[in-house]
Amino acid sequence: MKDKKLYMIGNAHLDPVWLWQWQEGFQEAKATFRSALDRMKESEDFIFTSSSAAMYEWIENNEPAMFEEIRARVKEGRWNIVGGWWIQPDCNIPGGESFVRQGLYGQRYFKEKFGVTAKVGYNVDSFGHNAMLPQILKKSGMDYYVMMRPMPNEKGLPSRLFWWQSDDGSKVLTFRIMFEYLSWGKDLENHVRRCLGEFKEPLNDLMLFYGVGNHGGGPTKENIESIRRLNEEPDLPKLEFATPDRYFKDMEASGLDFPVVHDDLQHHASGCYAAHSGIKQWNRQAENRLIAAEKFSALASWITGQPYPEEFTRAWKNVLFNQFHDILAGTSLEPAYEDARYLFGEAMAIADRSLNYAVQSLSWNIGIEQDETMRPIVVFNPHAWASKVNVELEIGGIKDNSVLVDDTGKPVPFQTVKSQAAARGRYRLSFMAELPPLGYRVYKLFLESASLKPVGEPITASDLVLENSRLRLEFDKDAGFIKSLRDKKLDHEVLRGEGARPVVIDDTSDTWSHDVLHFNRTAGQFKAVRVLRIEHGPVKSVIRVVSEYGSSRLVQDFAMYPDRDQIDVRVTVDWREKFKMLKFVFPVNCVFSRHTYEIPYGTIEREHNGEEEPGQSWVDYTGIVPGSNRVYGLSLMNDAKYSYSIHNKELALTVLRSPIYAHHDPYVPEADGEYAFTDQGIQQFNYSLLPHEEGWEQAGTVRRAAELNCKPVAIIETYHEGKLPQTDSYLSVDRDNIIVSAVKKAEDNDDLILRVYETDKKATTAEISLPKWERSIRADFKPSEIKTFRVPADKSLPVTETSLLEWDL
């Protein structure tokens, strides 16, 4: 066996939050790091490997003397920094830009404090890994990756060591940990011997991770002494204190060929995609608010001189910490979610304050003529494409002869819908805004007009039917389900049965749903108690479906617009069930189907086998209309959920599930015990249905989902002089499949950073225009490629492409 080697990786997996709150994790980080430093004093050959910049920042702020010891050990080469991210996050649920920021803030922290960056990505306990990670890792300075889940019983892989490749061709050499990422604190002989069967020619070298973990601890004296003893045993491989960096470099130098895996790495703990609706929704909201605030703050800093907020770093660090896999996955104890809410609250307060400063700085500089009968409304578009979206805002003073016009004086259809205030004289104004790419437009509400008349005609709408020129939506009065959704242009029934069907499923699994892939044991369905039209006007008509199940109540408000082929649904659910799951089911009327899920900065196609799948803000079901050769599909988009399933022809959105907080098999709850259950009470979110000809690519699903998740910002202004016009655009792209996802100030100067990615898995040449600065970027994109551009404030300097870290790798 001495021709084989085990690289012994001394580590301490530490969950900063799990069955304990962050304050306990904070103390354990200090105790664990102290122990590792003490072991180094005792054993000159001992090496320690550790990740997660957030924990180092804790030490720096609370125990500076220990921090200096760590710096010395890093410089010496005996303290190995891996996983150049802020934390070890859930690797499915965060958005694409969040994964970028994990590396941006993590790697820059390590570089500033220790003079090194991590070369090894490191997420040993995360519950699955999205397929875009190889590209994100590579462009964040990491050439290698260590993971453990899914384990061999959950996903077969061709080797413990393999090239993991994403759609653009990026590859990272990846190792799947054997058995566990930790060991007990005693002799390691059993830990070593159970790995002997893992050696497969020609791969004669493997990594073995040791050290007490989960609640921290790290390698013990007995661990280290047993490694020395076992290294003398003739029937065991050579054991060597090592680092993942050393292992990967040796394997690359070995000349061996390693298999390539081009796929996501799933499934482990499928219940985590839906567990704890609150943390999922706060994460989506915080991501979108920060991204919008950064865009307008960066633009305002160049246009009006509004200072760019330093607080964004703090806000992002809060979000990134809450993306830790046991927090964002919904698997921690209940008080941890109060802590998470505080962090998200601080992040969103920073985002809201910064966004307000930015847009009001811009709107105050717009020249708006004086007219005491007029209320100017400035609407900002956070997306780099022309957008037509429903805008609603609270306002006072609307009269029967009020009229809304755009910046050219053209009347715009509007209506009042129910105000959020139960007070006289307050109204909620609703209209469709046509907005320029990443810019704004001024609308004007004339409170009284004798010369102008309101415009627009409502669609056909009753208590059971909504119908515009393209779609006809009909409800079953007794059940409350969608009875029919017909595409009138093609005479095609979009659904092959009852749609928007709220199905309740028995779910007695633990919080993770360990070893559960399918949730299909139907317990019952919500039944309608009221179906009625609640809004009707030239902008939209809305049918409300109120239904009940057990002690729970569900309200779905279905909105249809005169000139829009998208149906928007506002959901309020008051959930009182335990050990149950709620799904909204849509049977799609297509054959020869393909099923596409949005994943962070990309997409993936999956089988319709009924397994619970992680996804971002949308999923699409496209196929052939039965009896024809016409391609048709249905996109389902939402602003708060991440869990889906497709079984045969039934597409389902998992709304919530209600296990016991932090219930981990094999613990069996007492039959008459009192426990805290997740997702009890009221929650609200939105989803949209987008029936479409051809594929989701032609339907613009990516853009529509982005508009649903990151809405326009409307400001009620006043009249004043200003240098800015009443409509303007600051950034646009000439290709529909190229999305500008982030605009921010550079980390090291006043340059602009643009993040741009390709959505349709096709090579594309695109031009990105910043007309106000006479800048144009022409770039070639590989399929699903993410690019980052630096636009210097100095116009004499060229635009350059850079890494996700904003420096050259």
Side-chain angles (χ1 to χ4, degrees), residues 368-407:
I368 302 175
E369 68 276 12
Q370 181 172 344
D371 186 334
E372 294 180 5
T373 69
M374 181 264 291
R375 296 270 183 91
I377 302 167
V378 188
V379 185
F380 292 85
N381 179 14
H383 306 293
W385 58 84
S387 184
K388 185 174 182 179
V389 287
N390 185 216
V391 172
E392 293 189 357
L393 72 161
E394 297 287 320
I395 197 167
I398 295 179
K399 303 183 186 316
D400 290 341
N401 58 344
S402 296
V403 175
L404 182 70
V405 302
D406 65 16
D407 57 300

Side-chain angles (χ1 to χ4, degrees), residues 432-502:
M432 297 299 291
E434 296 189 40
L435 305 174
L438 197 55
Y440 63 85
R441 169 162 282 148
V442 175
Y443 289 84
K444 302 166 188 178
L445 179 66
F446 289 92
L447 300 179
E448 294 186 86
S449 176
S451 60
L452 296 173
K453 301 298 181 186
V455 295
E457 293 293 331
I459 64 171
T460 300
S462 66
D463 283 346
L464 295 176
V465 176
L466 297 173
E467 185 173 354
N468 63 15
S469 60
R470 182 65 187 264
L471 299 174
R472 186 181 191 277
L473 179 65
E474 182 180 356
F475 293 88
D476 183 291
K477 181 180 180 180
D478 296 323
F481 309 148
I482 293 176
K483 183 177 180 180
S484 170
L485 175 55
R486 177 165 291 275
D487 186 323
K488 294 161 58 178
K489 176 185 172 184
L490 303 180
D491 192 26
H492 171 58
E493 193 65 53
V494 178
L495 303 176
R496 62 192 305 269
E498 298 167 326
R501 199 168 77 247

Side-chain angles (χ1 to χ4, degrees), residues 293-358:
E294 284 181 336
K295 286 177 179 176
F296 286 111
S297 295
L299 293 172
S301 71
W302 274 27
I303 296 162
T304 68
Q306 174 69 31
Y308 190 85
E310 298 287 337
E311 296 177 297
F312 280 140
T313 300
R314 177 74 270 147
W316 271 110
K317 286 180 178 179
N318 286 4
V319 172
L320 301 179
F321 183 83
N322 276 342
Q323 290 173 346
F324 179 71
H325 54 266
D326 277 313
I327 302 175
L328 191 54
T331 55
S332 293
L333 76 174
E334 187 175 15
Y337 292 98
E338 292 188 16
D339 298 334
R341 190 168 63 237
Y342 301 150
L343 284 182
F344 274 131
E346 183 182 33
M348 287 191 268
I350 290 170
D352 285 348
R353 183 166 57 246
S354 301
L355 179 60
N356 185 61
Y357 280 142

Side-chain angles (χ1 to χ4, degrees), residues 354-366:
S354 301
L355 179 60
N356 185 61
Y357 280 142
V359 297
Q360 295 228 25
S361 174
L362 292 166
S363 68
W364 192 253
N365 281 276
I366 298 171

Side-chain angles (χ1 to χ4, degrees), residues 80 110 122 154 207 242 249 261 283 306 320 389 460 481-482 498 522 689 711 717 743 770 777 786:
N80 180 228
F110 288 136
Y122 191 90
E154 296 167 320
M207 282 192 284
K249 287 177 181 176
V261 174
N283 179 72
Q306 174 69 31
L320 301 179
V389 287
T460 300
F481 309 148
I482 293 176
E498 298 167 326
T522 300
L689 301 173
K711 297 182 182 300
E717 258 295 350
V743 180
L770 294 94
I777 307 166
I786 309 161

Side-chain angles (χ1 to χ4, degrees), residues 152-171:
N153 63 305
E154 296 167 320
K155 183 175 181 67
L157 292 172
S159 172
R160 284 282 173 191
L161 186 62
F162 58 94
W163 289 107
W164 188 23
Q165 180 176 314
S166 54
D167 289 335
D168 72 312
S170 298
K171 291 192 296 186

Side-chain angles (χ1 to χ4, degrees), residues 476-481 500-504 525-532 544-558 571-575 577 582 584:
D476 183 291
K477 181 180 180 180
D478 296 323
F481 309 148
R501 199 168 77 247
V503 178
V504 179
Q525 296 182 141
F526 276 78
K527 182 175 176 57
V529 293
R530 279 196 303 164
V531 184
L532 72 160
R544 171 170 291 170
V545 179
V546 181
S547 53
E548 294 177 349
Y549 172 87
S551 301
S552 300
R553 188 170 187 268
L554 173 66
V555 179
Q556 295 192 78
D557 292 343
F558 293 82
V571 179
T572 302
V573 56
D574 186 358
W575 185 252
E577 313 307 314
L582 175 61
F584 290 168

